[in-house]
Amino acid sequence: MNYLKKLVWALICLFFSLSSFSQEHPSIMLSKQNIGALRKGVQTYALLKKSWKKIKSDADKAILEAIEVPVPKEAGGGKSHEQHKKNYSTMLSCGIAYQISGDQKYAAYVEQMLLKYAAEYEKWPLHPKRKEGHQGGRIFWQSLNDFVWQVYTIQSYDLVHDALSASNRKTIESKLFEPILKFFTVDCAGTFDKIHNHATWDVAAVGMTGYVINKPEYVQMALKGSAKDGKTGYLAQVDQLFSPDGYYTEGPYYQRYALLPFILFAKTINNYQPELKIFQYRDQLLAKAIQTSLQLTYTDGTFFPINDAIKGKTYESSELVYGVDIAYADINASPDLLDIAAKQGEVVVSDAGLKIAKDLSEGRSKPFSYQSQLIKDGASGKEGGLGIFRSGSNEDQQAVVLKAASQGMGHGHFDRLNLLYYDNGVEIFPDYGSARFINIESKKGGDYLPENKTWAKQTIAHNTLTVDQTSNFKANADLAQQTAASVSYFKIDKDLQIFSADENHAYPGVRMNRTTALLKVKELQKPLLIDVFRVNSDKAHQYDLPFWYKGHLVDASPKIKGFTDQLKPLGSKYGYEHIWLNAEQAVPGKSGYLSILNNKRFYTVHFAADAPLSLKLLSLGANDPDLSLLESKAFMLSSTDSKDQLFFSITETHGQTNPVNETTTGASSQVTDLQVTANHPDRASLSFKVKGKTYQYQINYNNKENFIKIN
Amino acid sequence: MNYLKKLVWALICLFFSLSSFSQEHPSIMLSKQNIGALRKGVQTYALLKKSWKKIKSDADKAILEAIEVPVPKEAGGGKSHEQHKKNYSTMLSCGIAYQISGDQKYAAYVEQMLLKYAAEYEKWPLHPKRKEGHQGGRIFWQSLNDFVWQVYTIQSYDLVHDALSASNRKTIESKLFEPILKFFTVDCAGTFDKIHNHATWDVAAVGMTGYVINKPEYVQMALKGSAKDGKTGYLAQVDQLFSPDGYYTEGPYYQRYALLPFILFAKTINNYQPELKIFQYRDQLLAKAIQTSLQLTYTDGTFFPINDAIKGKTYESSELVYGVDIAYADINASPDLLDIAAKQGEVVVSDAGLKIAKDLSEGRSKPFSYQSQLIKDGASGKEGGLGIFRSGSNEDQQAVVLKAASQGMGHGHFDRLNLLYYDNGVEIFPDYGSARFINIESKKGGDYLPENKTWAKQTIAHNTLTVDQTSNFKANADLAQQTAASVSYFKIDKDLQIFSADENHAYPGVRMNRTTALLKVKELQKPLLIDVFRVNSDKAHQYDLPFWYKGHLVDASPKIKGFTDQLKPLGSKYGYEHIWLNAEQAVPGKSGYLSILNNKRFYTVHFAADAPLSLKLLSLGANDPDLSLLESKAFMLSSTDSKDQLFFSITETHGQTNPVNETTTGASSQVTDLQVTANHPDRASLSFKVKGKTYQYQINYNNKENFIKIN
């Protein structure tokens, strides 16, 4: 019996040891067996050296300051909020500094801080403040911040683990991390089991903690949801939050943000349970999501600012530093990622960062390979998508973005069939992004401004069609969320890139198609941007197609006559109330052009239509008493009383000015004679001339074998 | 007798050979004895190599084309005009290419072209077109272009001289250059004897030609005027067109342009007659003029755009490439000029360029030394001047420009006591420059627009005081030319830079003083820009003090309430008709502030006055039917009914935002409680607090020993 008892116990231990995790630390971004190489690397490779110098400087500064773990009190931006944010960041720097330098003082700092948290955490009730509409945390006013705190903190703990006494480890685990796990999974169960980016931070925090402090139960829950049935949890989120192309429905700005917990947790999973092959999951979905994030930038590194985006955000943001490092080191060492890493100017001081910095120093980098591509939206890839055209080198690239996707949830804009154009390093036809001065206290505490709703989300704020001065779906987000635009054609050839999409739900009884191409003709150096926006309805409507542009208007036909002594708003709602009407005139012969000078290059937009048109010049700023709206201007093609209407435009990119030498070349446009010769249900026949040569341009909407015919 | 006759002849020859010039070619920018070194240099030193590559490429392209010497016909910008411009440029490239490569084909090209000109020139009458108000040329519609043509062409001839047959040389000299000399000195005598930049091109062309084809008579005339009495000619121009500080009264943009013939002719004089010590003339005036041109730029290389300036013009322009190369190689090899040369990215392929490129490659460069300085205006330095403050490194420099100079002739603006502020690589309080789209055909043929007169020149377009909605001198340039502002105080200390100037002529019965300082206080990182604009009159007036600014307004007190449903022009003349009034409000307590976010940094302008104030927000664009005016905006302090008024402002430069990390620091201004405690004829007593510490700031207008007292 004694023997049997012993055997049973031995089997039980074996079972548990099998289902528990290797307890070697560190084991997330840095791994124990690689520390020697990393210590050498920070002395050797420029980018790693620079990144380490910054971490060390942060850590050295931190350890001189008194440890402060205040009772949670203030809302976002307040003192206790900022202190707790700072704490997780300095603990991580000190954790890395300990591993690289071997100096105990850094570990001691993390240890002392964690002990202080452990002594306090259980006393803290739910945070006294609450972010409107968001679940409360205990350290912060919303639970999301608590999750983020723990994703960072568990990494610091992993880094200093071996330097801590067993009794202190026990205190920290039992008084801090275990209560946190309980809070995140029980109190925050509603979030934990959502398919949503807040839930990603929650499961990542829980799962990473589960691995590090060896609680397989929590890892299971993190991976498969609290019921462990796979209906929620991390894997379900990977399945449902991204499209098969790795696109996150809220758009590039939020895609970047959502990415970090996905890849940090994936990296942890891969270290602890390589047999799960998490990076291979769903056809390498995470690698695609990182790649797609990069493909959603212009060559200056900025994300395409569709939906509620902060402009000026680039792939230099820390989420993509992690993303690029892990993608290169752990998934696919594509040399063009080194180009991005070099432009980011830093790496994570980690195994992955070492590999990047080493390979960069060995000259293995290639220019990042921007692709013309269709990025499908929706978990199954059936909710439209973004079409992207690229032409030219990374130093001087034309890029066109066409949005025919789903609404993208609460941060989505009413911008079906929106078009953005970039060239020569700058925006030509921009997207306004969100109306928000992030972190500027005086502008509504840095939060979204009222104008985000009244202006930035409205259809007229975008380079697409507004019908009857009303936004898509009458600006009803719930309604908009129910349907998506559909991409009917996408094809990339050497000299012709084509995107065609339909939107038939945004306005009841109105069918819209936008068919846009980038066409290289041999007479001109730069491809032409050819845009055909067609709308059909049984009833007559007002159709407004604005092109918000950057630069200065230097020529136009018909000649513009700006209003001289008074400006009035363009309308009274759906964003029209924010627009000053600067000029308005009829377009004789239904065609004309405007030439814009932007960043020393000319852009001449030729246009034509098959029904009478008027041309309006617009600028932003009406009904804006707080002066919150940014300078913006547009020209707009309008027709007031058409059932069917076709707007045909060709944007020619040409010439240059040099203010230093005072020279101008190629200022004259070479495109002329735009005509709409037929507009039938199944085809549009158009023509134009380039340096006198006639091009016939026919769109066969129902013929995918011969969708665009040019001769 | 035979013997005597021979002796006389010998003496005569000796006399003439003494007064003739050494006929060694080339002998201007390139010299014969240095060709060997230069040929090696173009293979060795990066900057020279790059510059040579460009010249050679231009030359190689040129010699493939047919030589075209059309009969002069079109005005500026027209076909024959552009061809003749192109010809002088390609001849110079080919001349250099011949000397560097030794390949006869380049010399043959210049030879053939010059022979063609020689065959045609005498047939050409005065040009059939005439630029309004300008003397006509024969090759071009204005004689100025002919002078420029010859300054370039005589250099080409010098470069290929030795490759030409004696008979061809004779043809070219007798049929082209001699008739040109006659035309320039006889037909254009009026210009030749002016003290004016067109005359500089004329005398330089004549003098350089005189040296190269050995006509000492013409050299004498060029140096001392057609009467050879020194009242006109080159030396008189050096005496009178520049101030003792090397400032050219029309402003930096025209200074740059005027400089080239001065230094090219000086270089020629120095090579042929070093005994004249031309570079030492007038206390090294030419070196000062080059140095002053550089000092009139911000750290991004752009010239301060006062008066009729094209914005975006930088020291990369060819005039300053010549200027820097010659200043370094021939006058004073100051290592900080190498910094500028490196930023110019090119050198003249010449002896001077060789020296620059060599020294740069040897790592001798130092950062360009920007100086805080007073640059006096007027031939004798008594017509006011420009005050320039600098603070910080060339990577992040505050620069303040105060204009209290003379009118600056026809290109001057009515901007007495104007203030410009730069920081962090960008304009904060800009100057509009000229209203002109240079070389943009569709914008009035690239010439000055009507708005240059109605807007850009007017006082309200500048950061200075407008009285009774009327420009300085009622915008009468002749009247304005008669008097200058006067600088009453200028002092640069480590922590305090002060400039004080008076203008008592611009408005009859109105006395204006602006006293501006850049003050470093220990509580803050960046110096404060303290501006005290005082105006006194026996009668009540409307006083408007605008600050045209770049960036976005993010906070203000009083809180701004923009007009929501209508905009109207601010006035009806003197530029007011071009301004939209966006907001207007009383200023309770006579003080307030505005915070501007520009290029990720904050600028809070605190203001106070000793009489009731209103605050107006302005934007440009009213009465602009052609949409020619560029986006511009201002806030303006106004008082409508004061005799004496003092406008006190402090601009605090603080904090930063980082859209990539989404962090903001230092957004709160630390300056508070501005007060005007006394405003007496001889002193102004002001105070303010920084982080709660009170500063008393007293200006003692009549006490130069203790002009500003701070405690």
Side-chain angles (χ1 to χ4, degrees):
Chain A
M1 287 289 249
N2 242 6
Y3 169 78
L4 254 183
K5 204 173 174 181
K6 272 187 184 160
L7 183 66
V8 168
W9 269 114
L11 284 170
I12 288 173
C13 287
L14 181 65
F15 176 80
F16 272 103
S17 77
L18 276 176
S19 64
S20 78
F21 307 115
S22 148
Q23 280 301 301
E24 190 173 84
H25 299 280
S27 198
I28 300 178
M29 292 301 296
L30 293 81
S31 62
K32 192 164 186 168
Q33 73 275 11
N34 212 32
I35 291 298
L38 194 51
R39 287 179 179 177
K40 272 187 210 148
V42 298
Q43 308 299 336
T44 313
Y45 307 117
L47 200 54
L48 188 62
K49 199 171 187 173
K50 177 180 161 199
S51 304
W52 159 238
K53 205 171 156 188
K54 191 179 171 310
I55 292 280
K56 184 167 183 299
S57 147
D58 290 350
D60 286 338
K61 209 171 136 195
I63 58 171
L64 293 180
E65 291 173 9
I67 287 173
E68 285 188 53
V69 176
V71 175
K73 191 173 153 194
E74 285 94 0
K79 207 179 159 189
S80 66
H81 179 99
E82 291 300 318
Q83 185 64 47
H84 289 296
K85 272 179 71 176
K86 191 179 160 192
N87 285 351
Y88 73 60
S89 165
T90 56
M91 279 196 284
L92 184 56
S93 295
C94 288
I96 297 169
Y98 166 64
Q99 285 292 344
I100 302 295
S101 70
D103 193 331
Q104 289 288 337
K105 69 185 176 188
Y106 299 114
Y109 177 86
V110 178
E111 182 175 30
Q112 289 309 310
M113 189 175 280
L114 288 175
L115 286 171
K116 210 150 188 174
Y117 272 102
E120 298 286 328
Y121 186 78
E122 290 182 295
K123 297 180 206 160
W124 295 340
L126 218 53
H127 195 283
K129 294 259 167 52
R130 188 70 45 84
K131 187 168 184 181
E132 205 186 315
H134 288 78
Q135 188 183 46
R138 278 167 77 174
I139 307 177
F140 298 96
W141 67 331
Q142 62 169 341
S143 61
L144 172 63
N145 297 114
D146 283 44
F147 308 148
V148 173
W149 188 92
Q150 180 61 10
V151 164
Y152 281 86
T153 301
I154 195 62
Q155 293 182 70
S156 318
Y157 181 69
D158 175 49
L159 288 161
V160 301
H161 179 280
D162 292 357
L164 270 50
S165 69
S167 73
N168 280 344
R169 288 205 293 257
K170 192 175 169 212
T171 304
I172 292 163
E173 293 185 12
S174 64
K175 299 285 181 186
L176 181 60
F177 293 146
E178 288 173 26
I180 279 178
L181 285 173
K182 184 170 160 293
F183 178 68
F184 285 12
T185 52
V186 179
D187 303 68
C188 298
T191 302
F192 189 83
D193 282 332
K194 270 191 184 148
I195 302 295
H196 184 275
N197 80 71
H198 289 200
T200 314
W201 283 100
D202 194 349
V203 301
V206 168
M208 290 167 74
T209 306
Y211 280 119
V212 171
I213 69 169
N214 201 13
K215 301 273 175 194
E217 176 84 4
Y218 282 102
V219 172
Q220 282 298 305
M221 286 166 64
L223 289 171
K224 300 195 165 181
S226 63
K228 297 180 199 158
D229 59 3
K231 288 188 182 161
T232 66
Y234 182 75
L235 297 174
Q237 291 178 26
V238 174
D239 287 339
Q240 295 174 52
L241 280 178
F242 292 96
S243 82
D245 292 336
Y247 179 69
Y248 178 71
T249 188
E250 292 191 284
Y253 176 76
Y254 281 93
Q255 165 139 359
R256 161 206 59 80
Y257 183 66
L259 208 56
L260 188 58
F262 273 106
I263 54 180
L264 272 173
F265 190 24
K267 173 76 176 154
T268 314
I269 295 167
N270 201 50
N271 286 352
Y272 280 88
Q273 295 190 280
E275 68 277 12
L276 292 184
K277 296 193 189 303
I278 190 67
F279 289 126
Q280 302 307 315
Y281 188 75
R282 206 188 165 199
D283 197 16
Q284 293 203 345
L285 192 279
L286 292 170
K288 274 186 201 160
I290 296 165
Q291 177 63 219
T292 294
S293 293
L294 297 172
Q295 292 293 347
L296 288 166
T297 62
Y298 183 51
T299 51
D300 62 353
T302 54
F303 291 102
F304 297 135
I306 53 169
N307 295 338
D308 281 348
I310 302 297
K311 295 189 81 164
K313 193 84 179 179
T314 70
Y315 56 50
E316 295 160 286
S317 72
S318 64
E319 299 89 350
L320 277 167
V321 175
Y322 274 89
V324 167
D325 289 6
I326 289 175
Y328 184 82
D330 294 298
I331 313 179
N332 178 13
S334 170
D336 74 335
L337 289 174
L338 297 175
D339 182 27
I340 302 288
K343 286 185 176 128
Q344 289 172 332
E346 63 172 319
V347 289
V348 184
V349 177
S350 64
D351 300 358
L354 171 63
K355 186 165 162 61
I356 291 249
K358 179 170 178 289
D359 288 2
L360 253 178
S361 79
E362 289 167 1
R364 302 195 186 186
S365 177
K366 287 189 184 167
F368 182 70
S369 173
Y370 281 103
Q371 303 291 332
S372 293
Q373 68 180 116
L374 173 63
I375 298 173
K376 294 189 290 294
D377 190 8
S380 56
K382 291 177 181 165
E383 299 179 42
L386 298 179
I388 301 173
F389 302 154
R390 311 264 185 181
S391 177
S393 74
N394 289 5
E395 283 64 52
D396 184 4
Q397 187 196 70
Q398 289 174 289
V400 179
V401 182
L402 293 143
K403 189 186 179 210
S406 73
Q407 183 66 14
M409 309 204 286
H411 289 297
H413 285 194
F414 300 100
D415 60 350
R416 298 289 160 98
L417 311 187
N418 192 13
L419 181 154
L420 284 64
Y421 179 39
Y422 294 78
D423 182 54
N424 194 22
V426 297
E427 295 176 315
I428 309 305
F429 301 144
D431 189 298
Y432 190 87
S434 62
R436 179 179 190 182
F437 290 87
I438 196 160
N439 297 316
I440 307 292
E441 190 59 33
S442 54
K443 299 305 281 186
K444 219 184 164 233
D447 207 344
Y448 290 104
L449 296 166
E451 290 77 14
N452 194 54
K453 200 171 168 188
T454 61
W455 168 250
K457 282 179 183 286
Q458 300 298 328
T459 307
I460 195 66
H462 302 87
N463 303 313
T464 188
L465 195 79
T466 294
V467 177
D468 295 332
Q469 298 200 19
T470 304
S471 284
N472 296 169
F473 305 97
K474 292 188 178 167
N476 180 326
D478 293 335
L479 200 62
Q481 191 62 38
Q482 293 169 22
T483 54
S486 64
V487 178
S488 53
Y489 192 81
F490 184 81
K491 189 153 188 272
I492 303 299
D493 288 324
K494 184 174 162 284
D495 289 336
L496 180 61
Q497 309 187 35
I498 311 168
F499 178 91
S500 180
D502 298 289
E503 171 55 57
N504 297 329
H505 305 286
Y507 298 104
V510 176
R511 298 176 306 286
M512 303 189 288
N513 173 281
R514 186 166 213 159
T515 299
T516 306
L518 205 54
L519 171 68
K520 176 79 179 75
V521 295
K522 63 177 188 303
E523 292 81 8
L524 300 173
Q525 202 190 342
K526 298 268 176 191
L528 297 170
L529 172 57
I530 302 182
D531 184 45
V532 181
F533 203 120
R534 198 161 79 147
V535 54
N536 298 97
S537 177
D538 296 335
K539 293 183 188 157
H541 297 279
Q542 177 179 337
Y543 296 129
D544 287 343
L545 181 62
F547 289 81
W548 293 91
Y549 68 90
K550 299 275 187 184
H552 196 90
L553 190 63
V554 293
D555 195 14
S557 169
K559 184 168 157 49
I560 306 291
K561 290 265 174 212
F563 294 124
T564 56
D565 62 349
Q566 185 178 251
L567 292 187
K568 297 289 253 174
L570 184 64
S572 62
K573 52 188 176 174
Y574 292 115
Y576 279 68
E577 72 275 26
H578 289 304
I579 295 172
W580 297 116
L581 177 62
N582 294 97
E584 175 174 15
Q585 44 219 113
V587 176
K590 300 177 212 157
S591 78
Y593 68 86
L594 301 100
S595 287
I596 294 157
L597 178 61
N598 182 359
N599 193 26
K600 303 167 194 167
R601 190 171 284 176
F602 295 92
Y603 300 87
T604 298
V605 186
H606 302 265
F607 58 87
D610 61 344
L613 271 187
S614 75
L615 174 64
K616 291 174 182 161
L617 289 229
L618 314 176
S619 62
L620 193 58
N623 285 292
D624 178 26
D626 298 341
L627 308 182
S628 289
L629 294 170
L630 300 173
E631 279 85 359
S632 304
K633 52 195 174 174
F635 61 87
M636 184 166 83
L637 307 177
S638 290
S639 74
T640 49
D641 193 32
S642 297
K643 291 178 180 174
D644 301 331
Q645 174 74 297
L646 185 151
F647 297 95
F648 171 30
S649 75
I650 298 182
T651 301
E652 179 185 351
T653 300
H654 59 105
Q656 61 171 24
T657 67
N658 182 330
V660 173
N661 298 342
E662 297 189 358
T663 54
T664 295
T665 53
S668 300
S669 169
Q670 303 297 333
V671 173
T672 56
D673 298 271
L674 270 69
Q675 284 190 21
V676 181
T677 47
N679 181 11
H680 294 159
D682 64 337
R683 69 181 159 88
S685 298
L686 314 160
S687 68
F688 58 93
K689 290 184 184 176
V690 182
K691 292 188 178 175
K693 184 194 164 187
T694 301
Y695 281 84
Q696 303 289 344
Y697 185 90
Q698 183 167 309
I699 306 173
N700 300 304
Y701 291 97
N702 300 325
N703 180 352
K704 302 222 168 157
E705 303 308 306
N706 193 13
F707 193 81
I708 288 188
K709 196 176 147 193
I710 300 171
N711 49 24
Chain B
M1 288 289 256
N2 241 6
Y3 169 79
L4 253 183
K5 201 171 175 181
K6 273 185 183 164
L7 183 67
V8 168
W9 269 112
L11 282 171
I12 287 171
C13 288
L14 180 66
F15 176 79
F16 272 104
S17 78
L18 276 176
S19 64
S20 77
F21 306 115
S22 148
Q23 280 301 303
E24 191 172 85
H25 300 279
S27 198
I28 300 178
M29 292 301 295
L30 293 80
S31 63
K32 190 164 188 170
Q33 73 275 14
N34 213 31
I35 291 298
L38 194 51
R39 287 178 179 177
K40 272 186 208 149
V42 299
Q43 308 298 336
T44 313
Y45 306 117
L47 201 55
L48 188 62
K49 199 172 188 172
K50 178 181 160 199
S51 304
W52 159 238
K53 204 172 156 188
K54 191 178 170 310
I55 292 281
K56 183 167 185 299
S57 148
D58 289 350
D60 286 339
K61 207 169 135 195
I63 58 172
L64 294 180
E65 290 173 11
I67 288 173
E68 285 188 52
V69 176
V71 175
K73 188 173 159 196
E74 285 95 358
K79 205 177 161 193
S80 66
H81 180 98
E82 292 301 319
Q83 184 65 46
H84 289 296
K85 274 179 72 176
K86 191 179 160 193
N87 285 351
Y88 73 62
S89 167
T90 55
M91 279 195 284
L92 185 55
S93 295
C94 289
I96 297 169
Y98 165 65
Q99 285 293 342
I100 301 295
S101 70
D103 193 331
Q104 289 288 337
K105 67 185 176 189
Y106 300 114
Y109 176 86
V110 178
E111 182 176 29
Q112 289 310 309
M113 189 176 280
L114 288 175
L115 286 171
K116 207 147 189 177
Y117 272 102
E120 299 287 327
Y121 186 79
E122 289 182 296
K123 297 182 205 157
W124 295 339
L126 218 52
H127 195 283
K129 293 261 165 52
R130 187 71 44 84
K131 187 169 184 182
E132 205 186 316
H134 289 79
Q135 187 183 48
R138 277 168 78 175
I139 306 178
F140 298 96
W141 67 330
Q142 63 170 339
S143 61
L144 173 63
N145 296 114
D146 284 45
F147 308 148
V148 174
W149 187 92
Q150 179 62 9
V151 164
Y152 282 85
T153 301
I154 195 63
Q155 293 181 71
S156 319
Y157 181 69
D158 176 48
L159 288 162
V160 301
H161 179 279
D162 291 358
L164 271 52
S165 69
S167 74
N168 280 343
R169 288 205 294 259
K170 194 179 169 208
T171 304
I172 291 163
E173 294 186 12
S174 64
K175 299 283 181 187
L176 180 62
F177 295 145
E178 289 173 27
I180 279 179
L181 286 173
K182 183 171 161 291
F183 179 67
F184 286 11
T185 53
V186 178
D187 302 68
C188 299
T191 300
F192 189 83
D193 282 332
K194 269 192 187 148
I195 303 295
H196 183 277
N197 78 72
H198 289 199
T200 314
W201 284 101
D202 194 350
V203 300
V206 169
M208 289 167 74
T209 306
Y211 279 120
V212 172
I213 69 170
N214 202 12
K215 301 273 172 194
E217 176 86 1
Y218 283 102
V219 172
Q220 282 298 306
M221 287 166 65
L223 289 171
K224 300 196 165 180
S226 64
K228 296 180 201 160
D229 60 3
K231 286 186 183 162
T232 65
Y234 183 74
L235 297 175
Q237 291 178 26
V238 175
D239 287 339
Q240 296 173 52
L241 281 179
F242 292 96
S243 83
D245 292 336
Y247 178 70
Y248 178 71
T249 191
E250 291 190 285
Y253 175 77
Y254 280 93
Q255 166 137 0
R256 161 205 60 79
Y257 183 68
L259 209 55
L260 188 58
F262 273 106
I263 54 181
L264 271 174
F265 189 24
K267 173 76 176 154
T268 314
I269 295 168
N270 200 52
N271 286 352
Y272 281 87
Q273 295 190 283
E275 68 279 11
L276 293 184
K277 294 191 191 306
I278 190 67
F279 289 125
Q280 302 306 315
Y281 188 75
R282 205 185 165 201
D283 197 16
Q284 292 204 343
L285 192 279
L286 292 171
K288 275 186 202 161
I290 296 165
Q291 177 63 222
T292 294
S293 293
L294 296 173
Q295 293 292 346
L296 288 167
T297 62
Y298 184 49
T299 51
D300 62 353
T302 54
F303 291 101
F304 297 135
I306 53 170
N307 295 338
D308 282 348
I310 301 298
K311 294 190 82 165
K313 193 86 180 177
T314 71
Y315 56 51
E316 295 159 287
S317 70
S318 65
E319 298 90 349
L320 276 166
V321 174
Y322 274 89
V324 167
D325 289 5
I326 290 174
Y328 184 84
D330 293 298
I331 314 179
N332 179 15
S334 172
D336 74 335
L337 289 174
L338 297 176
D339 182 25
I340 302 290
K343 286 184 177 128
Q344 289 172 331
E346 63 171 319
V347 288
V348 183
V349 177
S350 64
D351 300 358
L354 171 64
K355 186 164 161 62
I356 291 248
K358 179 170 178 291
D359 288 2
L360 253 179
S361 79
E362 289 167 1
R364 300 195 187 188
S365 177
K366 287 188 184 168
F368 182 69
S369 174
Y370 282 104
Q371 303 291 331
S372 292
Q373 68 179 117
L374 174 64
I375 297 173
K376 294 191 290 295
D377 189 10
S380 56
K382 291 176 182 167
E383 299 179 43
L386 299 179
I388 301 172
F389 302 155
R390 311 265 186 180
S391 178
S393 73
N394 289 5
E395 281 66 50
D396 183 6
Q397 187 195 71
Q398 289 173 289
V400 179
V401 182
L402 292 143
K403 188 186 179 208
S406 73
Q407 183 66 14
M409 309 202 287
H411 290 297
H413 285 194
F414 300 100
D415 61 351
R416 298 289 160 99
L417 310 186
N418 190 14
L419 181 155
L420 283 65
Y421 180 39
Y422 294 78
D423 182 53
N424 193 24
V426 297
E427 294 177 314
I428 310 303
F429 300 143
D431 190 298
Y432 190 88
S434 61
R436 179 179 190 182
F437 290 86
I438 195 161
N439 298 316
I440 308 292
E441 189 61 32
S442 53
K443 300 304 282 184
K444 217 186 166 231
D447 207 345
Y448 290 103
L449 296 166
E451 291 76 15
N452 194 54
K453 199 170 171 192
T454 61
W455 167 250
K457 281 178 183 286
Q458 301 297 327
T459 307
I460 195 65
H462 302 86
N463 303 312
T464 188
L465 195 79
T466 295
V467 177
D468 296 332
Q469 299 200 19
T470 305
S471 285
N472 296 169
F473 304 98
K474 294 187 176 168
N476 179 325
D478 293 335
L479 200 62
Q481 190 63 36
Q482 293 170 22
T483 56
S486 65
V487 178
S488 54
Y489 192 81
F490 184 81
K491 190 154 187 272
I492 303 298
D493 288 326
K494 183 174 160 287
D495 290 336
L496 180 62
Q497 309 188 36
I498 311 168
F499 177 91
S500 181
D502 298 288
E503 171 55 57
N504 297 329
H505 306 287
Y507 298 103
V510 177
R511 297 176 306 285
M512 305 189 287
N513 173 280
R514 186 168 215 160
T515 299
T516 306
L518 205 55
L519 171 66
K520 176 80 179 77
V521 295
K522 64 176 186 305
E523 292 80 8
L524 300 173
Q525 202 191 339
K526 297 270 176 191
L528 296 171
L529 172 58
I530 302 182
D531 184 46
V532 181
F533 204 120
R534 198 160 79 147
V535 53
N536 299 97
S537 178
D538 296 335
K539 294 183 188 157
H541 296 280
Q542 176 179 337
Y543 296 130
D544 287 341
L545 182 61
F547 290 80
W548 293 91
Y549 68 90
K550 298 274 188 183
H552 196 90
L553 190 63
V554 292
D555 195 14
S557 171
K559 184 169 157 47
I560 307 291
K561 291 264 173 212
F563 294 124
T564 56
D565 63 348
Q566 186 178 252
L567 292 187
K568 297 288 255 177
L570 185 64
S572 62
K573 52 187 175 174
Y574 291 116
Y576 279 67
E577 72 275 24
H578 289 304
I579 296 173
W580 297 116
L581 178 61
N582 295 96
E584 174 173 18
Q585 44 218 116
V587 177
K590 300 175 210 156
S591 78
Y593 69 85
L594 301 100
S595 287
I596 294 158
L597 179 60
N598 181 358
N599 194 24
K600 303 168 195 167
R601 190 170 284 175
F602 295 92
Y603 300 86
T604 298
V605 186
H606 303 265
F607 59 87
D610 63 342
L613 271 188
S614 73
L615 174 64
K616 291 173 183 161
L617 289 230
L618 315 175
S619 61
L620 193 59
N623 285 292
D624 178 26
D626 298 342
L627 308 183
S628 289
L629 295 169
L630 299 174
E631 279 84 358
S632 304
K633 53 195 174 175
F635 60 89
M636 184 165 83
L637 307 177
S638 288
S639 73
T640 50
D641 193 32
S642 297
K643 291 177 179 173
D644 300 332
Q645 174 73 294
L646 184 151
F647 297 94
F648 171 29
S649 75
I650 298 182
T651 301
E652 179 186 351
T653 300
H654 59 106
Q656 61 172 27
T657 66
N658 182 330
V660 173
N661 298 340
E662 297 189 359
T663 55
T664 295
T665 54
S668 299
S669 168
Q670 302 297 332
V671 173
T672 57
D673 297 271
L674 269 69
Q675 284 189 19
V676 181
T677 50
N679 180 13
H680 294 158
D682 65 337
R683 71 183 157 88
S685 297
L686 314 159
S687 69
F688 58 93
K689 290 184 183 177
V690 181
K691 292 189 178 176
K693 186 193 160 186
T694 300
Y695 281 84
Q696 303 290 344
Y697 186 92
Q698 183 168 307
I699 306 172
N700 300 304
Y701 292 97
N702 300 325
N703 181 352
K704 302 221 169 156
E705 302 308 306
N706 194 13
F707 192 80
I708 287 190
K709 197 175 146 192
I710 299 172
N711 49 25

